[in-house]
Amino acid sequence: MIGQTAPVGARTATYAAALNEALREEMQRDPRVFCIGEDIAVWGGGGVYGVTKGLVEEFGVGRVRDTPISEEAIVGMSVGAAAAGLRPVAEIMYSDFLALAMDPLVNQAAKMHYMFGGQASVPMVVRSNSGAPGGKAAQHSQSLEAWFMHVPGLKVVTPATPFDAKGLLKSSIRDPNPVIFLEHKRLYQTKGEVPEIEYLVPLGRADIKRIGRDVTIVSNQTMVLKALEAADDLSLSGIEAEIVDVRTLKPVDMETILESVRKTSRLIVAHEANVFAGWGAEIVARVAEVGFELLDAPMMRVGAKDSPIPYSEPLEMAILPDKDALVAAARAVVAY
């Protein structure tokens, strides 16, 4: 889709506030929706990034539930509640901690609909955050989207803007399947236009954030913003980059990606995760399988170096992909 953004004149909101509005609106709309997680209600005042702020005052402790420090318990209880007919939204403080909840998530939530022949559904959302925010070290800074993309039965959503964050979260809550909803720590205080009227952003639809003719850059989360900055720099030298925000990694919108590559004949995939076995590899593989004849240059992946995230912020920035890496990649494929 091209330019699926907020209408002119929409008010400005932060990414965190947009997520908060999505939760509030869906809880008002459907009494089955509830939030569960560590420090999201009475004790934490809205979670580590304030996304659930004010919800316990409006909906009470029965629908905004603080939990013990056990990610396995949070996800396990959510799976049971969803199977019983509720619509839980579980918050995991850092996506790195989802490693502690992989059994209920991967072996129960993802497989229950299939194993019960469609007689059971698990309409739950697991909200968490990914990416390196600066100085939180190797166990709080990873981008693990590819883990969950590999599991049949899970949907994976990674919004980049406040508009998309709100619309995608509302769609995720209404979806009958388990959804891994990964925010980014550096995006919570970014601002963008968000309509006051209700709207949804459909899962499985990419969005073209900038139209170009010379090279397609497919990205998500913070890399969308870096790609837009890179595109501004590239345009000064006559290179017009088309920026595709994948938004939903599973299901992935290959139709929009291939249509863009058909126009530009060049592809770069950019993500903050390590290049090796990151989600970009899947995009590149699919384009190679069904659209190889569209290409005039080798495809390129831009991502983090294959290292744990250092605690030192200068070292962290040294291994993460940045605008300059995107500019260099674009110039290389255009010059090929």
Side-chain angles (χ1 to χ4, degrees):
M1 298 187 68
I2 298 177
Q4 189 183 53
T5 55
V8 175
R11 74 221 158 92
T12 298
T14 66
Y15 188 96
L19 293 166
N20 180 274
E21 286 184 2
L23 291 170
R24 176 174 282 106
E25 290 176 11
E26 291 306 299
M27 292 176 77
Q28 290 171 341
R29 172 183 172 272
D30 187 343
R32 298 173 298 172
V33 177
F34 72 97
C35 298
I36 182 171
E38 299 168 14
D39 298 339
I40 67 168
V42 176
W43 298 109
V48 67
Y49 291 104
V51 173
T52 57
K53 185 176 181 179
L55 297 183
V56 70
E57 288 82 2
E58 180 172 351
F59 298 102
V61 295
R63 294 185 67 193
V64 186
R65 305 184 70 93
D66 282 324
T67 69
I69 302 174
S70 173
E71 286 73 24
E72 183 175 17
I74 294 167
V75 174
M77 286 188 289
S78 297
V79 173
L86 298 178
R87 289 183 173 265
V89 181
E91 178 173 318
I92 301 299
M93 192 176 291
Y94 293 97
S95 62
D96 317 67
F97 303 165
L98 282 167
L100 299 165
M102 291 298 266
D103 181 66
L105 189 58
V106 170
N107 286 328
Q108 307 304 328
K111 296 175 173 61
M112 194 171 289
H113 184 74
Y114 169 78
M115 294 184 71
F116 284 87
Q119 297 180 80
S121 294
V122 187
M124 61 180 282
V125 177
V126 177
R127 281 189 49 249
S128 194
N129 56 74
S130 60
K136 289 194 180 294
Q139 296 171 332
H140 300 75
S141 304
Q142 298 172 90
S143 296
L144 302 171
E145 303 97 312
W147 280 10
F148 307 106
M149 289 172 64
H150 190 66
V151 181
L154 296 180
K155 295 187 175 183
V156 184
V157 179
T158 59
T161 67
F163 175 84
D164 288 337
K166 180 176 180 179
L168 287 167
L169 182 54
K170 288 171 68 71
S171 293
S172 297
I173 292 170
R174 298 185 191 189
D175 199 276
N177 304 287
V179 178
I180 310 300
F181 194 93
L182 294 172
E183 300 141 19
H184 194 289
K185 304 173 190 73
R186 288 190 185 272
L187 293 176
Y188 284 117
Q189 296 309 311
T190 58
K191 295 182 179 180
E193 291 188 336
V194 178
E196 291 186 287
I197 61 172
E198 184 181 49
Y199 68 95
L200 299 173
V201 175
L203 305 187
R205 301 291 293 275
D207 186 38
I208 298 178
K209 292 292 195 277
R210 177 180 174 131
I211 296 173
R213 65 174 184 270
D214 299 311
V215 58
T216 296
I217 302 177
V218 177
S219 54
N220 74 329
Q221 294 183 327
T222 56
M223 293 305 295
V224 172
L225 308 187
K226 294 178 182 180
L228 289 168
E229 292 176 359
D232 288 339
D233 285 3
L234 290 164
S235 67
L236 298 177
S237 57
I239 298 173
E240 295 297 332
E242 182 148 293
I243 310 303
V244 179
D245 179 358
V246 70
R247 298 198 297 192
T248 303
L249 290 171
K250 194 172 185 182
V252 64
D253 182 3
M254 286 305 302
E255 181 180 350
T256 295
I257 293 170
L258 286 166
E259 187 60 33
S260 179
V261 173
R262 184 172 288 108
K263 176 170 60 172
T264 67
S265 301
R266 296 170 177 87
L267 174 64
I268 296 167
V269 182
H271 51 61
E272 191 173 305
N274 300 346
V275 171
F276 184 81
W279 63 260
E282 178 65 24
I283 304 300
V284 167
R286 290 198 181 196
V287 172
E289 288 171 349
V290 301
F292 188 75
E293 74 284 355
L294 303 174
L295 296 165
D296 287 340
M299 295 176 281
M300 292 187 67
R301 292 176 290 160
V302 174
K305 296 178 175 63
D306 200 23
S307 166
I309 305 295
Y311 172 73
S312 162
E313 288 196 49
L315 291 177
E316 175 184 298
M317 298 308 296
I319 72 165
L320 294 179
D322 59 12
K323 177 193 73 172
D324 292 340
L326 287 167
V327 170
R331 286 177 175 158
V333 298
V334 170
Y336 183 82

